[in-house]
Amino acid sequence: MPRSSYAQAQPINLDTERHGMSAFGDLALPEGFKHFPYVNPDAPKGGAFSECISRRTFNGSFLTFNSLNTYILKGDGVYGMDWTFATLMVKAGDELDAMYGLAAKSVRISDNGATYRFTLRDGLTFHDGSPLTAHDVVWSLNTLKEKGHPIITQLLNDFDKAEADGDGVVVARFKPGRGREVPLFVAGLPIFSRAYYSKRPFDESTLDIPLGSGPYKVSRIDAGRSIEYARVKDWWGAKLPVEVGQNNFDTIRYEYYRDRDVAMVGFTAGNYSFREEFTARFWATRYDFPAIKEGKVKRDTIPDDTPSGAQGWFINTRRDKFKDRRVREALIDAFDFEYTNKNIMYDAYKRTHSVFQNSPMMAMGQPDEAELKLLEPFRGQVPDEVYAVPYVPPVSDASGQDRRVLRIAAGKLNDAGVVIKDGKRVLPNGQPFTIEFLSEEPSFNPHHLAYIKNLELLGIQASLRVVDPVQYRARVDTFDFDLTVERMSFSSTPGDSLRSYFVSNAAKINGSKNLAGIADPAVDTLVEKIVGASTREDMVAACKALDRVVRAGRYWVPQWYLASHRIAYWDVFGRPARQPRYDRGIPETWWAAEKKG
């Protein structure tokens, strides 16, 4: 969709029945639209799609799974369970945050934004044929608020409760001053069967297949290795405008590999049909196998217009040795991105600077008037650089040990009282300065080792510990690490989700995404400004202000980003003329092509 089309979308008056909803009320598609503009409405049904895991759920791992319950903290959740559950509304991939009706045919929003009344469609059922009613939706929402994964419960903090008005209407009530993003999050949560969970606990890790309500159901499980979903042939939602041209494959299978090299071999052998490539070395050197040369496997790079966010080594400031900002900045200086990008990643990436990288919300240059208005109350409480050009990491000579940059890093450590004694760095308390990098991904070993080499040149005793996925998740969820790699990314309309990553309260909640332990009143206030922004312009200004403060805190060692998807697939698929702008759209909008030859 052209960028200008969003400016043309008109806000809808409150307290009227509507077919969709968005953060600021604007919808690009009119009532009665036939299908999303990025799908092929005539796409045939059938065939199979299979993929090596490239995304994960709330409690999920990239490497294994031992539970089908992906909505709680316990266990390692499998990917794809959202295929099996319907939601009140679904997101449009061409719009920043708009959602249109799935189980709900319409929504009415009170003038004060505190009450949302969702009217359900007729004929909704679970996979066993039992009716799906407002009582199931109410039970699902209230249960997730009480027993869901900590990220879910935190995002539902401003959600008060849900009530049923008969079988066909769900009334969702929100607290005064609720976050702009919360109703959208509620509308996208899964609908569970109240009757099914009346006979079993919700908050247990399990491999039992739950009763679903979505376009697919679990058909086969090989615990820790693969899961397969089968299309529900008579699903009630198949012909709705939000589903036309989508969910085209009869089966969708996700494969798990503990080693990226083995996963690549599996793809070349045809063990699975689609792969998004996250390893630059593979993209540059491994796609020369016979099937590529014979045209049986295709490669493509498709744009990613969503914010890239911040990927890096997050520094656990809960630990005393990392509390000094100068120490954290020295750790940033010690990472030679230019060397790593050139020698390990084939110059495939750009350096990450911002928590809102690759978006209009990223701070650049001097703060403007709107940003300064938000930042002025904190003058003297935050570093002075917040009021100037935002921080970016130093650029090295790409040698792997830029003496100039390392000398600067050493000076910062000395200023912080972390000095050399008998050839090793010691903390102000006289203890050795040691750092353990925690990882579950062996493919990151070369990146870690290049970084560790520079830390050792500074006299820091650094080491890498690679653990199994279960141990990794347990340690990260309880903040038992020095530094670990994570990527935090946000939607184009961030709001309540920021709390889990940045606010002081989240730093104390096991399982939250505030890995660095950020606890700063200025950050807390700015997050609330973003959550409560009444216009997109106000939201963007507040995001830029937050970006400046977080970057000034030196909470993570920035790594890299790629504003595109590198994909490879066996040539057995059809695909639409274009992809949705804010979503990969795969496998949702693809289909099985007729066999060639």
Side-chain angles (χ1 to χ4, degrees):
M1 180 175 290
R3 294 176 183 270
S4 61
S5 63
Y6 297 110
Q8 297 166 2
Q10 296 299 313
I12 302 173
N13 292 329
L14 292 175
D15 205 19
T16 59
E17 206 79 17
R18 66 186 70 181
H19 63 295
M21 55 193 276
S22 70
F24 297 106
D26 51 327
L27 297 172
L29 298 176
E31 187 171 3
F33 72 93
K34 301 300 183 183
H35 56 78
F36 287 134
Y38 48 80
V39 304
N40 173 9
D42 300 316
K45 305 293 185 183
F49 177 94
S50 53
E51 178 180 5
C52 174
I53 285 295
S54 61
R55 291 171 283 185
R56 60 185 177 185
T57 56
F58 295 106
N59 63 351
S61 165
F62 289 117
L63 306 180
T64 189
F65 70 92
N66 57 24
S67 176
L68 301 191
N69 191 343
T70 62
Y71 301 99
I72 61 172
L73 182 59
K74 297 177 184 176
D76 290 304
V78 72
Y79 185 73
M81 287 303 292
D82 52 338
W83 287 112
T84 72
F85 298 111
T87 57
L88 289 169
M89 294 193 162
V90 295
K91 189 178 184 305
D94 253 5
E95 299 178 62
L96 292 171
D97 51 46
M99 302 182 77
Y100 297 91
L102 179 57
K105 65 179 181 181
S106 64
V107 60
R108 179 184 292 271
I109 307 171
S110 65
D111 286 331
N112 62 4
T115 304
Y116 283 58
R117 293 178 60 88
F118 296 93
T119 300
L120 301 187
R121 299 181 188 278
D122 295 330
L124 303 180
T125 61
F126 289 99
H127 292 156
D128 65 351
S130 61
L132 187 163
T133 72
H135 302 285
D136 296 294
V137 180
V138 168
W139 185 90
S140 302
L141 297 178
N142 291 338
T143 299
L144 286 168
K145 178 177 175 63
E146 178 187 355
K147 299 179 179 180
H149 189 281
I151 294 175
I152 295 175
T153 59
Q154 190 164 21
L155 289 172
L156 291 178
N157 184 59
D158 287 348
F159 166 64
D160 187 17
K161 61 181 178 180
E163 301 166 332
D165 184 359
D167 288 344
V169 176
V170 175
V171 182
R173 302 190 187 280
F174 299 90
K175 296 177 182 177
R178 55 91 179 158
R180 175 190 57 253
E181 190 181 31
V182 184
L184 301 175
F185 184 66
V186 165
L189 286 171
I191 301 172
F192 306 120
S193 165
R194 179 178 62 163
Y196 176 85
Y197 282 106
S198 69
K199 302 173 183 178
R200 50 186 59 80
F202 172 78
D203 53 351
E204 289 293 328
S205 176
T206 178
L207 287 171
D208 292 342
I209 299 173
L211 178 60
S213 52
Y216 287 83
K217 58 184 177 182
V218 176
S219 57
R220 191 178 68 175
I221 306 166
D222 185 358
R225 296 176 179 272
S226 67
I227 186 165
E228 185 172 285
Y229 301 91
R231 185 166 60 87
V232 178
K233 301 294 176 64
D234 57 350
W235 184 50
W236 51 263
K239 295 183 180 180
L240 295 176
V242 294
E243 298 294 341
V244 168
Q246 301 190 80
N247 309 321
N248 301 313
F249 296 103
D250 279 350
T251 61
I252 295 174
R253 189 178 79 253
Y254 294 108
E255 298 277 350
Y256 284 78
Y257 290 86
R258 290 177 180 260
D259 183 277
R260 291 195 185 190
D261 281 285
V262 176
M264 183 66 200
V265 171
F267 179 67
T268 63
N271 293 343
Y272 59 95
S273 55
F274 177 92
R275 176 179 176 86
E276 181 167 0
E277 187 55 75
F278 293 96
T279 305
R281 175 170 58 89
F282 287 0
W283 192 248
T285 66
R286 298 287 290 273
Y287 287 87
D288 59 354
F289 51 94
I292 286 276
K293 297 175 181 179
E294 295 166 7
K296 296 178 180 178
V297 171
K298 302 292 185 182
R299 290 205 304 170
D300 197 4
T301 300
I302 57 179
D304 180 4
D305 282 341
T306 60
S308 297
Q311 178 173 304
W313 286 282
F314 283 78
I315 306 168
N316 189 356
T317 64
R318 299 170 186 84
R319 300 192 165 177
D320 288 341
K321 59 187 172 183
F322 300 124
K323 289 192 179 297
D324 194 308
R325 176 174 170 271
R326 294 167 295 184
V327 170
R328 301 196 297 270
E329 185 168 338
L331 298 184
I332 297 172
D333 292 344
F335 173 52
D336 192 333
F337 165 76
E338 287 70 29
Y339 170 85
T340 303
N341 195 35
K342 177 181 178 182
N343 292 278
I344 298 176
M345 303 189 299
Y346 295 82
D347 276 329
Y349 296 95
K350 296 180 180 180
R351 186 76 188 266
T352 295
H353 299 154
S354 165
V355 297
F356 299 115
Q357 194 74 42
N358 190 42
S359 83
M361 299 172 288
M362 175 180 173
M364 299 179 69
Q366 297 286 339
D368 61 23
E369 183 178 349
E371 293 172 69
L372 284 173
K373 183 177 179 180
L374 294 166
L375 293 168
E376 278 300 334
F378 308 108
R379 194 177 287 275
Q381 303 173 42
V382 296
D384 289 343
E385 73 177 54
V386 166
Y387 304 92
V389 176
Y391 173 76
V392 296
V395 176
S396 79
D397 61 8
S399 67
Q401 52 181 47
D402 188 319
R403 295 177 182 274
R404 177 187 63 83
V405 176
L406 291 175
R407 278 196 301 270
I408 294 171
K412 292 170 184 173
L413 291 170
N414 291 335
D415 291 344
V418 183
V419 298
I420 293 288
K421 185 176 182 180
D422 298 327
K424 300 294 182 181
R425 288 277 167 189
V426 296
L427 299 165
N429 63 9
Q431 295 296 313
F433 187 15
T434 62
I435 293 177
E436 179 187 86
F437 290 87
L438 181 67
S439 175
E440 65 170 342
E441 179 53 80
S443 67
F444 270 113
N445 288 4
H447 311 74
H448 279 98
L449 295 177
Y451 186 16
I452 286 171
K453 181 181 178 181
N454 272 357
L455 292 172
E456 290 175 339
L457 290 174
L458 291 171
I460 299 171
Q461 300 174 54
S463 61
L464 169 64
R465 181 180 293 272
V466 181
V467 299
D468 66 74
V470 175
Q471 185 180 355
Y472 177 81
R473 181 50 46 198
R475 288 188 59 178
V476 170
D477 282 343
T478 56
F479 311 119
D480 181 17
F481 64 89
D482 284 343
L483 274 76
T484 193
V485 174
E486 186 58 271
R487 180 189 176 198
M488 54 181 178
S489 58
F490 308 103
S491 72
S492 299
T493 311
D496 220 53
S497 59
L498 297 173
R499 289 173 173 150
S500 184
Y501 288 86
F502 295 118
V503 303
S504 302
N505 184 56
K508 307 170 187 175
I509 299 175
N510 287 350
S512 87
K513 291 296 185 179
N514 190 346
L515 299 187
I518 300 172
D520 183 337
V523 170
D524 294 347
T525 299
L526 290 170
V527 166
E528 296 310 311
K529 292 290 187 182
I530 296 168
V531 170
S534 58
T535 67
R536 187 168 295 279
E537 291 74 17
D538 289 346
M539 181 202 74
V540 169
C543 285
K544 289 180 177 179
L546 175 67
D547 190 30
R548 292 177 186 278
V549 175
V550 173
R551 287 161 71 176
R554 312 291 194 268
Y555 295 112
W556 87 100
V557 180
Q559 288 184 343
W560 49 84
Y561 76 99
L562 182 69
S564 60
H565 300 283
R566 296 177 299 216
I567 62 173
Y569 55 94
W570 286 80
D571 191 18
V572 293
F573 301 123
R575 51 192 288 195
R578 68 177 184 84
Q579 68 173 96
R581 184 177 172 196
Y582 298 107
D583 196 296
R584 196 180 71 172
I586 309 167
E588 292 86 345
T589 66
W590 285 26
W591 61 89
E594 294 184 7
K595 292 185 178 180
K596 300 178 180 180

